[in-house]
Amino acid sequence: MQVANQIRDILTEQFSPVELQINDDSSKHAGHAGADPRGESHFSVLVVSEKFEGENRVNRQRLVYGALDALLKDRLHALALKTMTPAEYETALANKNN
């Protein structure tokens, strides 16, 4: 999980997330175009950070893509992002539990 650890380190440094979930989805894409034979090329990521306050969804994703730019150029083929503020995350959790 070298790439996942790099993602974790970068996002932790840049966003100080209160919640960070990184899922390696590469096995679902084995044999498809863009699949790296080394694996660790497709990820789903949830970042919950106060730094997203006042930013719309597109700007939040731009911030994350900017932080991961070097990995996106070299190792990452696909990155599914969910970016939330702590308040949005708490609301989502409350709605899920009801």
Side-chain angles (χ1 to χ4, degrees):
M1 289 291 254
Q2 180 182 357
V3 176
N5 289 337
Q6 290 175 321
I7 293 170
R8 182 173 309 285
D9 291 347
I10 292 166
L11 295 181
T12 298
E13 180 180 323
Q14 294 288 314
F15 298 101
S16 303
V18 297
E19 180 70 26
L20 179 59
Q21 298 173 15
I22 301 169
N23 297 307
D24 185 350
D25 299 328
S26 302
S27 63
K28 299 175 187 175
H29 302 277
H32 296 170
D36 191 317
R38 298 172 290 178
E40 292 191 289
S41 59
H42 293 68
F43 287 88
S44 298
V45 176
L46 166 68
V47 186
V48 180
S49 173
E50 291 179 4
K51 293 196 178 189
F52 296 139
E53 294 286 347
E55 299 288 347
N56 65 32
R57 184 179 59 83
V58 172
N59 286 339
R60 293 173 185 187
Q61 292 189 356
R62 284 182 182 148
L63 290 169
V64 175
Y65 283 125
L68 298 175
D69 185 60
L71 283 176
L72 285 162
K73 289 177 181 173
D74 180 50
R75 286 288 283 140
L76 295 177
H77 177 71
L79 186 63
L81 289 177
K82 197 176 265 190
T83 55
M84 305 173 93
T85 66
E88 291 167 340
Y89 184 64
E90 290 300 320
T91 298
L93 286 178
N95 290 339
K96 182 178 178 181
N97 293 327
N98 287 335

